[in-house]
Amino acid sequence: MPMPLNNKHVHFLDETFCEPFNAKFVEQIYRATDSICAEMRECINVDGNDLVRAANMMKKTITRDKLISWVETLNCILDGHVVPLLEKAVEMQSENQKLKDEKIKDQETIISLQNKLVEKKDEEISSMKSTVQTELKSYSSALSQSCKAALAPRKIEAAVKRVSDKEDRSRNVIIYGMKEESGEDLNQ
């Protein structure tokens, strides 16, 4: 819709509007709307936009041309800018919800895969535990059998006897340069 000509309120609005959406467009709409509403409040002599009512606008000072100009400007703001902006907001909300749903689905997939990984690790640990227990029992069995044979009383007695039969030379001391005496006891 073409903008009204010679209208001081619509100069706030940019004709290349809504692609891509940004906060600048909201500011433009706010300033244009505030401009037209300020003029209307001033003409009907009220303080707030909530007081811009038909009863206040039926004054003889407000001409038909003035009302037509306001309606034309408000229509331009609404139809040319507010409605497209709301449509973009709805599209963005829809896209945002779609992305949230995809993120939730991806997170559920990640959790499921992590649970499967934990289950596999538990299976591996269980298998490894079983193998270690089996091998430990086999090793323990082999060790106990060899220890029984090695620690048999006869073998211990024979080893002690062999050691005690050998001459204990750890107490012998040799002193070089000293003469032996004839009455020395060498067996101590």
Side-chain angles (χ1 to χ4, degrees):
M1 171 178 205
M3 290 194 194
L5 299 174
N6 300 325
N7 189 313
K8 67 179 182 178
H9 308 294
V10 294
H11 77 277
F12 293 110
L13 302 172
D14 187 357
E15 289 187 53
T16 58
F17 182 73
C18 280
E19 287 298 332
F21 172 81
N22 63 49
K24 173 183 152 190
F25 301 133
V26 176
E27 179 64 25
Q28 290 174 3
I29 291 170
Y30 174 76
R31 290 191 343 221
T33 304
D34 188 55
S35 174
I36 187 92
C37 290
E39 182 180 308
M40 292 168 71
R41 287 189 312 266
E42 184 181 325
C43 285
I44 61 173
N45 202 20
V46 295
D47 291 332
N49 288 342
D50 59 328
L51 298 174
V52 178
R53 301 279 185 237
N56 292 330
M57 296 181 80
M58 294 295 197
K59 297 179 179 178
K60 291 185 180 194
T61 57
I62 300 176
T63 65
R64 181 174 180 223
D65 289 340
K66 180 59 85 180
L67 283 173
I68 290 172
S69 173
W70 289 344
V71 169
E72 182 181 35
T73 301
L74 289 172
N75 184 58
C76 174
I77 292 170
L78 286 172
D79 191 47
H81 296 81
V82 173
V83 171
L85 189 65
L86 288 173
E87 288 172 349
K88 286 289 180 187
V90 169
E91 287 176 26
M92 291 177 74
Q93 174 60 27
S94 176
E95 185 65 27
N96 190 22
Q97 187 60 45
K98 181 181 172 186
L99 291 173
K100 283 180 183 179
D101 292 344
E102 287 177 7
K103 182 178 179 182
I104 289 169
K105 184 179 177 187
D106 290 345
Q107 288 173 337
E108 288 172 348
T109 302
I110 289 170
I111 290 170
S112 172
L113 290 173
Q114 287 174 336
N115 287 337
K116 287 180 182 179
L117 181 63
V118 167
E119 288 174 9
K120 290 291 183 187
K121 292 289 183 184
D122 287 346
E123 287 176 12
E124 288 177 12
I125 289 171
S126 177
S127 173
M128 190 179 295
K129 182 179 176 184
S130 173
T131 302
V132 167
Q133 286 177 343
T134 303
E135 293 299 319
L136 193 57
K137 285 179 184 178
S138 299
Y139 179 74
S140 174
S141 172
L143 186 62
S144 68
Q145 288 175 359
S146 66
C147 285
K148 282 181 186 176
L151 297 177
R154 287 184 191 169
K155 287 191 176 189
I156 293 174
E157 285 175 14
V160 169
K161 194 172 191 179
R162 268 187 265 138
V163 169
S164 63
D165 286 347
K166 290 184 181 178
E167 185 179 324
D168 185 13
R169 298 184 67 138
S170 64
R171 295 185 186 192
N172 292 348
V173 177
I174 299 174
I175 301 175
Y176 294 97
M178 193 171 194
K179 293 184 180 179
E180 283 188 30
E181 294 183 15
S182 58
E184 268 187 65
D185 185 13
L186 300 175
N187 290 330
Q188 290 184 0

